[in-house]
Amino acid sequence: MVNLSNSFSLVLMLASTLAVHAAPSPGYGYNAPAQQENHVVYETKVVYHKATKTVYAKQGEATHSHKYGHKNYHYRPAPKKNYGYYQPPKVVQPPKVKTPAPKPAPKPAPKPAPKPATPNSAPSSSLGKGMLEGHNTLRAQYGASPLKWSDKLASSAQEHANKCVFEHSAASGYGENIAGGADVLGVCKMWGKDEAADFGGHFTQMVWKSSTSVGCARVQCPGQVVGDVFTVCQYEPAGNVQGAYPENVQGYQG
């Protein structure tokens, strides 16, 4: 007679064995457990998850433990893919520096207009001092303002006197008095006081009110001029202008 309890136990053990060694049904999706073939666990990929520092078993590695006296296989599922949002590195653009507009080049300062040549009020030579004193003393007696000494006129007078020709310069453009012989005071007396009575031309030039400056020169010219000394004085503006005598020579009757 067959023992039914022993038969039932044999059936349970066979069912348990089949259950343990039966292949698991294939999963669907990326996270399905690895499939078992011939008691070997195959995993699809090895991933080192840096965020949690979890290390998964290599492909084909079986893990097992002995529990309750039989071999249990633990199937490690493949890790999930990290589909997190990819944040590209931030690129910091350098700040834009505004380039200032170039400043316009400064306009050059206008050159100052040349100052008109001004006569020298104080001559350095004894000739100049004597002539200026003789003229201004006479001019004061006839209501004319004092003359100023001019080196420009003195240079022009010197150029003409050096010729030692007793005559007026042709193209100087200045008023002019000439004399031969005598010293400085003698020349001023001869031109001024000696001709004042009849308003001679040397006198009228000496006291001409519109004239403002004078320059003189004296040159030794032995045997070439009267008295061997040639004296030349030039005036600016020129005097003895026809039609202008009444307003320039005090007391002139014409």
Side-chain angles (χ1 to χ4, degrees):
M1 174 181 255
V2 179
N3 191 345
L4 295 177
S5 62
N6 292 336
S7 299
F8 183 73
S9 298
L10 181 60
V11 172
L12 289 178
M13 289 178 63
L14 181 58
S16 176
T17 302
L18 293 175
V20 170
H21 296 287
S25 58
Y28 294 93
Y30 187 84
N31 296 324
Q35 297 182 358
Q36 177 187 1
E37 295 181 2
N38 298 326
H39 306 289
V40 178
V41 176
Y42 293 94
E43 292 205 357
T44 58
K45 193 175 183 181
V46 177
V47 177
Y48 297 89
H49 199 294
K50 295 182 179 181
T52 59
K53 295 182 180 180
T54 302
V55 179
Y56 296 91
K58 296 181 179 179
Q59 184 175 358
E61 181 183 43
T63 60
H64 62 274
S65 63
H66 293 278
K67 187 175 181 182
Y68 305 109
H70 63 273
K71 191 174 183 179
N72 295 325
Y73 287 90
H74 302 276
Y75 301 101
R76 296 191 178 186
K80 295 181 179 180
K81 286 187 177 180
N82 183 9
Y83 289 102
Y85 174 72
Y86 173 72
Q87 180 72 23
K90 185 177 182 181
V91 179
V92 179
Q93 297 293 338
K96 293 183 179 179
V97 180
K98 292 184 178 180
T99 304
K103 296 182 179 179
K107 295 182 179 179
K111 294 182 179 180
K115 295 181 179 180
T118 56
N120 302 316
S121 58
S124 57
S125 66
S126 58
L127 169 66
K129 292 177 181 178
M131 283 294 185
L132 198 61
E133 181 180 355
H135 279 74
N136 288 336
T137 299
L138 183 64
R139 287 173 68 86
Q141 297 172 10
Y142 287 87
S145 58
L147 295 174
K148 294 181 179 180
W149 184 260
S150 169
D151 287 338
K152 179 184 70 173
L153 294 176
S155 177
S156 177
Q158 185 71 51
E159 182 178 356
H160 180 59
N162 288 341
K163 299 176 182 178
C164 288
V165 177
F166 193 77
E167 64 183 11
H168 286 288
S169 58
S172 66
Y174 305 126
E176 187 174 79
N177 283 344
I178 59 176
D183 58 11
V184 174
L185 293 179
V187 169
C188 288
K189 178 180 177 297
M190 183 172 54
W191 285 346
K193 186 177 180 180
D194 293 351
E195 293 187 12
D198 55 2
F199 293 94
H202 295 95
F203 165 77
T204 54
Q205 175 61 80
M206 286 184 70
V207 299
W208 196 268
K209 292 181 180 181
S210 296
S211 296
T212 58
S213 57
V214 64
C216 303
R218 282 170 61 87
V219 177
Q220 296 290 331
C221 298
Q224 294 176 286
V225 296
V226 178
D228 298 333
V229 178
F230 188 24
T231 301
V232 179
C233 284
Q234 293 183 347
Y235 305 84
E236 187 179 35
N240 294 338
V241 178
Q242 291 294 329
Y245 280 89
E247 61 267 26
N248 281 284
V249 181
Q250 182 176 313
Y252 182 81
Q253 300 299 323

